[in-house]
Amino acid sequence: MKKTILVFGLLILALILLFQFSKYTITSGDVSTEIVVSVIAIVFFFVGIYINKKSLNKLPSETVEIDHDKIKDLEITSREYEVLQCISEGLSNKEIGERLFLSESTIKTHVSNLLLKLNAKRRTQALQIAKSLKII
Amino acid sequence: MKKTILVFGLLILALILLFQFSKYTITSGDVSTEIVVSVIAIVFFFVGIYINKKSLNKLPSETVEIDHDKIKDLEITSREYEVLQCISEGLSNKEIGERLFLSESTIKTHVSNLLLKLNAKRRTQALQIAKSLKII
DNA sequence: TTAGGGGTCATACTAAAGTACCAACGGCAT
DNA sequence: ATGCCGTTGGTACTTTAGTATGACCCCTAA
């Protein structure tokens, strides 16, 4: 946090200096206007990129597109997919049953089928596989 | 793709116009230098942000930064963290033990401590919590 | 040197997960 | 209408996960 303040402080200082410098050079006529304008443009262009990168790092922005075709390829049914989503939320079979108004037996059936279709031995492995396949 | 070319074409055109406009206004002296420089700075600042966003969208860029401070805050030890990573790979306690050359008992101890520290009831829930905390 | 923390391991137990098999119902296509 | 498939649910069982407790070792800070 202190580092961020320091960086931004130096940045603003540098920009003010650049600003004053450009004013001076343009009015004095030592350097051509094109070059000064170009320098300002380039500097602020990269400042924009830098600030943008910083702000993007703070938001997570998890843009993971779900591969619906893959789900169909694996012959995962809609119910099974619902159960898979519940598993990824860390719910137990009992809790999944309560959420979907089904018995724990049914959830076990769905989970077993899911493990077969995802070729997993455990629900945690199913999660890892499903993520690598961009299913969840 | 055609859209991208169109957008960039218009952008470059606008920038050239802005460039010429700034040259004209500075040399003619109608508008103060400060304002022209400010306009150029602001415009290129946002152009930088825009270009950066565009380029970032093209790469998938799974930039999930791990929050090491959080790990320390939760008092998760290095061994426990290793076990957590193994869990996220879908390994069983036995398999984790084999990978880390430890007994299954030890893994169970670490897992239990992890669940306490992450305030989770199950390993799947621990995964979900750890992900939300940007620990894994 | 002693207390505390991290790491290791064990036993004994309960709870949850997972497997196997069976059964029933409804929709849908041949 | 006959068969397939998805969905639901059950029983019975094995395996894995998780808890509780105690023990030992090593290192480090007080």
Side-chain angles (χ1 to χ4, degrees):
Chain A
M1 199 54 206
K2 284 175 186 171
K3 196 177 170 186
T4 308
I5 292 170
L6 184 69
V7 168
F8 270 80
L10 287 173
L11 199 62
I12 290 166
L13 187 65
L15 293 181
I16 290 169
L17 284 175
L18 182 70
F19 202 79
Q20 292 300 325
F21 174 71
S22 61
K23 261 178 68 184
Y24 170 75
T25 47
I26 287 174
T27 48
S28 68
D30 284 350
V31 188
S32 76
T33 311
E34 281 95 335
I35 291 176
V36 175
V37 170
S38 299
V39 168
I40 296 169
I42 290 167
V43 168
F44 275 86
F45 175 74
F46 281 105
V47 167
I49 289 178
Y50 175 75
I51 299 284
N52 189 240
K53 270 221 170 70
K54 279 281 161 190
S55 67
L56 278 182
N57 280 350
K58 271 158 198 169
L59 324 168
S61 76
E62 292 246 23
T63 13
V64 182
E65 281 290 312
I66 290 172
D67 191 345
H68 296 283
D69 295 332
K70 203 95 195 175
I71 299 174
K72 282 174 194 162
D73 287 350
L74 292 167
E75 296 180 331
I76 293 174
T77 66
S78 57
R79 257 322 196 199
E80 285 162 0
Y81 188 65
E82 282 184 278
V83 172
L84 180 60
Q85 287 176 317
C86 290
I87 291 175
S88 76
E89 292 180 40
L91 301 179
S92 69
N93 291 337
K94 198 176 196 174
E95 289 168 341
I96 297 172
E98 285 163 3
R99 177 179 288 192
L100 301 181
F101 305 107
L102 298 174
S103 80
E104 197 186 336
S105 304
T106 308
I107 306 303
K108 284 192 177 186
T109 307
H110 289 320
V111 172
S112 271
N113 291 332
L114 264 174
L115 295 185
L116 280 176
K117 290 174 182 176
L118 287 173
N119 197 26
K121 290 174 188 168
R122 283 164 294 279
R123 60 188 28 239
T124 46
Q125 195 180 10
L127 287 180
Q128 185 263 311
I129 293 171
K131 254 155 212 152
S132 70
L133 295 176
K134 295 183 193 307
I135 284 178
I136 52 174
Chain B
M1 199 55 205
K2 284 177 187 171
K3 197 178 169 185
T4 306
I5 293 171
L6 184 67
V7 168
F8 271 79
L10 286 173
L11 199 59
I12 289 165
L13 187 64
L15 293 180
I16 289 170
L17 284 175
L18 183 69
F19 201 80
Q20 293 300 325
F21 174 71
S22 61
K23 263 180 66 186
Y24 169 75
T25 48
I26 286 174
T27 47
S28 68
D30 284 351
V31 188
S32 75
T33 311
E34 283 96 337
I35 292 177
V36 175
V37 170
S38 301
V39 168
I40 295 168
I42 291 170
V43 168
F44 276 86
F45 175 75
F46 282 104
V47 167
I49 290 179
Y50 175 77
I51 299 282
N52 189 239
K53 270 223 168 70
K54 277 283 160 191
S55 68
L56 280 180
N57 283 348
K58 269 156 197 168
L59 328 165
S61 81
E62 291 251 18
T63 10
V64 183
E65 281 290 312
I66 290 174
D67 191 345
H68 296 282
D69 295 331
K70 203 93 194 177
I71 298 174
K72 283 175 192 161
D73 287 350
L74 293 168
E75 297 180 329
I76 293 174
T77 67
S78 57
R79 258 317 198 203
E80 284 162 1
Y81 187 66
E82 282 183 280
V83 171
L84 181 60
Q85 288 176 317
C86 289
I87 291 175
S88 76
E89 291 180 41
L91 301 180
S92 70
N93 291 337
K94 198 175 196 175
E95 288 168 342
I96 297 172
E98 284 164 2
R99 176 179 291 193
L100 301 181
F101 304 106
L102 298 174
S103 78
E104 195 185 340
S105 304
T106 308
I107 307 302
K108 282 190 179 188
T109 307
H110 289 320
V111 172
S112 271
N113 291 332
L114 264 174
L115 295 184
L116 281 175
K117 291 174 182 176
L118 288 173
N119 197 26
K121 290 174 189 168
R122 284 162 294 280
R123 65 201 3 250
T124 46
Q125 196 181 8
L127 287 180
Q128 185 262 311
I129 292 171
K131 256 157 211 150
S132 70
L133 295 176
K134 299 184 192 310
I135 283 178
I136 51 172

